[in-house]
Amino acid sequence: MDTAFSSFFESQHGSRWNSFKNFNQISPVVQSHLKQVYLSLCCALVASATGVYLHLLWNIGGILTTFAMIGCIAWMLSTPLFEERKRVALLMAAALFEGASIGPLIDLAIQIDPSVLITAFVGSGLAFACFSVAAMVARRREYLYLSGLLSSGLSMLLWLHFASSIFGGSTALFKFELYFGLLVFVGYIVVDTQDIIEKAHFGDLDYVKHALTLFTDFVAVFVRILIIMVSYKAWNIVAHQVSFKLLG
């Protein structure tokens, strides 16, 4: 029995050690590229927070900021790689407009309970960090096969949203879109991280575009977690008020 336990713990320790050894498969050039990607991602999140703040001050978020964000992304993707400063500026502008676009949701969360916003952001950051690290320490191309499944899931979400906007939706359908969408975009964090690493190994070092990809994943996860928490908090407030009136 002692031999069995020792062999089990050795195998577990060896599997964890092999997983972290997989990080050494990432070449120094790719590691430097990833540092640029995540630094740009952090700057984009700061720009997005600035956009949220501007919305809270002047109520600028809406359909116009959404179109402005799409325009900045299209402009950035069509800009040549050698115009690095311009592409970085367009990424920051897109992040700022994205922050302003989700400003109404964040304003609602602040009105209901400001702690929900902090919890949602910390939870999104922890989830993003954990799944990104998991993608880095895994074997190369191990999770890239999930891209087809995730694309199918995203397509299904778009069709469900399109159908509900035309024929009307139910609460159950809304919850399904919310939780299934969260699962899809968490999966995209893993797949996109491995895809960025693989592209960098083959010479694609466009850190601005890669930062945009991860920024989109982060915002998608954050928005869904925030909506889930706001809905749960609002339901608790309504239930408490109803029970107070009934008991009063």
Side-chain angles (χ1 to χ4, degrees):
M1 182 176 294
D2 292 339
T3 306
F5 274 112
S6 62
S7 62
F8 172 77
F9 284 114
E10 286 176 1
S11 63
Q12 293 296 314
H13 181 269
S15 61
R16 288 195 295 269
W17 175 247
N18 289 332
S19 295
F20 284 102
K21 282 174 63 180
N22 288 334
F23 189 77
N24 294 328
Q25 297 178 0
I26 304 177
S27 66
V29 174
V30 178
Q31 291 182 24
S32 177
H33 172 68
L34 289 176
K35 290 178 183 178
Q36 286 184 303
V37 170
Y38 284 102
L39 179 60
S40 302
L41 173 62
C42 291
C43 293
L45 291 176
V46 172
S48 184
T50 304
V52 172
Y53 181 70
L54 293 177
H55 170 78
L56 296 178
L57 285 180
W58 297 312
N59 194 28
I60 62 174
I63 190 67
L64 292 180
T65 55
T66 302
F67 282 126
M69 181 262 299
I70 295 173
C72 287
I73 292 176
W75 191 3
M76 188 205 80
L77 294 177
S78 62
T79 302
L81 295 179
F82 63 85
E83 297 186 31
E84 184 176 347
R85 292 185 178 180
K86 181 179 179 180
R87 299 179 82 246
V88 172
L90 287 170
L91 172 63
M92 297 303 120
L96 187 142
F97 287 126
E98 174 68 15
S101 298
I102 64 174
L105 172 63
I106 293 179
D107 190 15
L108 175 63
I110 293 174
Q111 292 178 15
I112 293 176
D113 188 357
S115 64
V116 170
L117 178 62
I118 299 174
T119 306
F121 183 79
V122 172
S124 302
L126 289 175
F128 185 89
C130 291
F131 284 100
S132 293
V133 171
M136 290 180 189
V137 300
R139 292 191 301 271
R140 286 179 57 182
R141 300 184 294 274
E142 184 176 5
Y143 296 112
L144 290 182
Y145 73 94
L146 292 175
S147 59
L149 294 175
L150 294 175
S151 298
S152 299
L154 183 61
S155 176
M156 185 171 69
L157 282 173
L158 292 175
W159 280 109
L160 284 175
H161 184 72
F162 177 73
S164 62
S165 63
I166 295 179
F167 303 107
S170 62
T171 304
L173 181 60
F174 174 74
K175 288 184 177 180
F176 174 78
E177 290 183 27
L178 198 59
Y179 286 96
F180 185 68
L182 178 60
L183 179 64
V184 167
F185 283 103
V186 164
Y188 265 117
I189 293 174
V190 178
V191 172
D192 286 339
T193 302
Q194 284 209 329
D195 185 53
I196 288 169
I197 294 172
E198 201 60 29
K199 287 179 178 178
H201 274 108
F202 286 98
D204 183 0
L205 301 177
D206 186 0
Y207 69 92
V208 181
K209 183 177 69 175
H210 295 165
L212 173 65
T213 301
L214 294 180
F215 173 76
T216 304
D217 295 339
F218 183 92
V219 172
V221 170
F222 168 71
V223 166
R224 282 160 178 79
I225 291 178
L226 184 59
I227 292 174
I228 291 170
M229 297 189 67
V230 167
S231 302
Y232 180 75
K233 189 70 177 181
W235 184 86
N236 282 340
I237 293 174
V238 172
H240 178 73
Q241 291 177 348
V242 170
S243 62
F244 178 78
K245 290 181 179 179
L246 291 176
L247 294 175

